[in-house]
Structures are given as C-alpha cells and as structure tokens.
Amino acid sequence: MSQQVYSVPKVNKEIGKQVSDYINTLTKPVGSLGRLEEIAIELAEMKNEAFPSIDPPGVLVFAADHGITEEGVSSYPQAVTEQMVRNFLSGGAGINVFSRQIGAFLNIIDIGVAQVIEHPSLINQKIRYGTANFYREDAMTREEAENAIAVGYEQGLDMLNKGCQCLILGEMGIGNTSSSSAILAVLSNSDVASLVGNGTGISQETLLHKVDVIKQSLQVRNPNPEDPIDIISKVGGLEIAGMAGAMLAAASYRVPILLDGFICTIAGLLAKEISPNSADYMIVTHQSVEPGHQLAISLLGKKPILDLGLRLGEGTGAAIAYPIIQSATLMLKEMATFDSAGISNKS
C-alpha cells in the first residue's frame, strides 16, 4: 500500500516551546497545573496554533462482526453487535449519552455487521458481513483490509469537513478483544496469555480457551509483524481497520485524536505502523482494565489521563475525558498573565 496516500506532517515543536514559555507567565506557580500544561503544549504542537481549540468534537463509532466468535471466545452472542447498533441509532447507548454531554457530532458506521440494518441515520459502508473466523482462515482479504482503512479515512474526512476540531473513535463488535489481542501479540512479540483479559466478562475457563484459540490462530495465520495490512487481513477486524483509517485522516490534517480503550489503542498502533507520525496526534484518554492496554499504550509512547476502571468501548472513555482536555485549551485562552492582571510574580 502506498505510504503517499497518508502523508502526515510532523508536529511543530517550536510552537510547543513558545506555548510552554507562555504558560509560565500565567497567574499560577510554574507547573502547578501539571498534566494540563503538558496537554496544552501537545495540542499546540499538533494544531500548529498557540491557542488550539478542540471544540466541537466529532465521534465516529465503527461497527463490525467477528467470525472468531464461532469459537466461543465471548460471553455475548454475535447478534449483540446488531442489537447495540440499533441502540446507538435510537440514542440509548453510553456513547450517545456522553456525546450529547460534550456537544459532539456522532456518526455510526456499519463497516461489517453480519446482519442487514436499515436506518436513515446509519452510514452503510459494509465491506462484508463480518470477518471470517481467523482460527480457520484469514479474517479478510488484503483488498478488504485496505478498503476498510480507506472507508475509515473517508469517514474521518467527512467529520473534519463538518468542522470537528478533535476526533473520538469508538467501536462495536462482539469478539473484537480477541482480534485486538492477536494484533497486539504480533506487534509486541508478546505471549498471548499476558495480553488477554475477560473482555465483556468471560469465565476463567473461557479465558484459557480464548488464549489457546488466539495462540493457535497466530501459529497458523503467521501474520507479518512488519506489514500492518497483512496483520489486519489475517487476524484483524473491519471496525479496527476503519478506526485506524479515520485516525490517519485526522493526523493528516493536524486534528487531535482522542484514543479510547484497548481496541481503539490497537487501531492507533496500526495507524502508527502505516504512518509513524500519526502517533504524535494521539492522546490516550484513559487506562482500561484490559491487561493488554498498558502494553499497547507504552508501545505508542503515551501515558493515559484517567484510570476509572472503564472497559465499555464505544469511545465512551474518550468522551468522558474530553472536558479535561478542553480545560487545557481554556487555561491557555482565558487565564490572565501576571502582567495583564497586575500581580507580582516570584522575584
């Protein structure tokens, strides 16, 4: 796949230095707003602006099914993916609530649900009716993997064209922690058992079975760790590829990406593999309880903002963290300096 398609600019470290100096003139002890100061500097570097804005946010939720559910790796049946998509469309899911709270645009994209869903608000970009069972065959073709990334990229651009100043990615797909764990095992060369968690709340017995299924699948599929498209086609998910594509769109246009939990962070790692600079536009919003999430975050070279024991997905963690990140931008824009407020600074 040609890298030219996704040309992501470097962040502007020079403006970061200027903003850092400016923050030190605000009416507060130096460094006293901690991580908020770091976030403000990062946003300035991403957006190439001294006073960056992340308002309004845009939320994209990609939904797709996974053939691997045939192996009994999840506590919920595959039908739940479709049922949850209908819940998103009627406004009743967690991501609906938090998107309303932060005034976000919200789009729901069917990129591979195993059922037909007709709804005027649903964006139908179905690549295929769910992935194949990667325990028995490749999850999808190489072309389907590339198409899923391209769909995500277009959906990302569509959100940016609405005027969104930051992008929140979410997903829905029963079985996607299995796919994400498999991808992470390939990218990190780690033992599967150390990465796999209870997902939606499986038993210890099912957990051991899940580890075994993923291990055996990776031996047979043998994805190339140097080739992100090969990894996606062999053990990936359509919604994971879609999220990665949307991230590449945001990064290409210097728009901050707010990463949600485990599955979203895995999509972030894939985007980084496709275009390394894209990682500089990502903010990890929270630490999920999924065991592999910590490793995935460290591979991105990031640290999470919150740790609330979240494991819902859908983009909910990123939406919950959004007001904190917005606080960083408002600190820059609205706080007085010692000079402007006529306050004596430390001599």
Side-chain angles (χ1 to χ4, degrees):
M1 187 160 129
S2 100
Q3 295 297 115
Q4 266 51 53
V5 187
Y6 306 113
S7 60
V8 176
K10 283 182 156 43
V11 294
N12 184 345
K13 290 289 179 186
E14 192 47 51
I15 206 159
K17 289 192 191 78
Q18 293 166 21
V19 169
S20 176
D21 290 344
Y22 177 74
I23 289 172
N24 290 342
T25 71
L26 299 178
T27 48
K28 60 176 188 56
V30 169
S32 58
L33 280 172
R35 273 301 291 286
L36 275 196
E37 301 186 17
E38 289 173 28
I39 292 166
I41 293 164
E42 283 171 29
L43 291 171
E45 291 173 349
M46 290 175 197
K47 304 202 79 170
N48 199 19
E49 293 169 10
F51 298 97
S53 173
I54 58 161
D55 182 49
V59 181
L60 294 174
V61 179
F62 292 89
D65 274 303
H66 292 257
I68 194 69
T69 54
E70 291 168 10
E71 301 305 320
V73 292
S74 174
S75 56
Y76 286 90
Q78 189 178 65
V80 170
T81 304
E82 179 209 359
Q83 292 160 0
M84 278 302 299
V85 169
R86 294 189 184 279
N87 190 22
F88 296 143
L89 294 167
S90 62
I95 192 57
N96 298 100
V97 174
F98 304 132
S99 293
R100 286 193 293 267
Q101 177 190 350
I102 63 175
F105 293 103
L106 171 62
N107 283 352
I108 312 297
I109 301 112
D110 175 358
I111 197 168
V113 180
Q115 284 80 24
V116 177
I117 306 174
E118 301 282 352
H119 193 285
S121 302
L122 180 67
I123 298 170
N124 184 354
Q125 293 285 341
K126 207 189 291 279
I127 305 281
R128 54 181 283 170
Y129 288 83
T131 53
N133 178 354
F134 66 70
Y135 183 68
R136 304 185 185 280
E137 59 186 302
D138 288 357
M140 62 187 99
T141 66
R142 198 174 169 93
E143 187 183 11
E144 285 166 339
E146 290 181 338
N147 288 347
I149 293 167
V151 162
Y153 191 88
E154 289 304 316
Q155 292 303 314
L157 283 189
D158 185 53
M159 217 20 127
L160 303 190
N161 289 335
K162 288 182 173 177
C164 288
Q165 298 298 314
C166 71
L167 205 55
I168 291 171
L169 286 313
E171 40 53 53
M172 181 61 221
I174 296 299
N176 62 13
T177 56
S178 294
S179 177
S180 297
S181 299
I183 293 167
L184 182 58
V186 176
L187 290 176
S188 64
N189 195 22
S190 300
D191 177 43
V192 172
S194 68
L195 308 177
V196 176
N198 298 82
T200 47
I202 54 176
S203 66
Q204 193 57 31
E205 190 185 359
T206 306
L207 179 66
L208 296 172
H209 170 65
K210 182 176 175 177
V211 168
D212 196 42
V213 166
I214 296 170
K215 273 186 177 168
Q216 289 185 44
S217 301
L218 288 173
Q219 279 168 356
V220 181
R221 302 272 79 76
N222 194 24
N224 176 2
E226 305 296 312
D227 182 353
I229 307 302
D230 189 58
I231 300 171
I232 293 167
S233 64
K234 286 178 174 167
V235 297
L238 294 157
E239 81 284 36
I240 297 168
M243 287 194 292
M247 291 175 197
L248 291 166
S252 299
Y253 289 91
R254 292 186 166 278
V255 171
I257 302 153
L258 309 193
L259 293 185
D260 187 32
F262 179 53
I263 293 135
C264 187
T265 305
I266 297 304
L269 283 174
L270 289 168
K272 183 189 178 185
E273 289 295 314
I274 294 166
S275 183
N277 286 352
S278 63
D280 294 337
Y281 293 86
M282 299 175 193
I283 295 173
V284 175
T285 58
H286 72 104
Q287 168 79 60
S288 148
V289 297
E290 244 343 88
H293 195 213
Q294 202 154 4
L295 175 61
I297 293 169
S298 67
L299 288 178
L300 279 176
K302 306 282 178 184
K303 49 183 180 175
I305 295 173
L306 298 171
D307 184 349
L308 297 174
L310 306 176
R311 57 183 176 88
L312 174 56
E314 303 174 7
T316 49
I320 289 165
Y322 171 86
I324 294 172
I325 301 163
Q326 190 180 30
S327 298
T329 67
L330 297 176
M331 169 197 76
L332 273 180
K333 275 184 208 142
E334 298 182 15
M335 267 184 84
T337 62
F338 281 99
D339 279 353
S340 72
I343 295 172
S344 306
N345 204 340
K346 203 165 60 167
S347 56

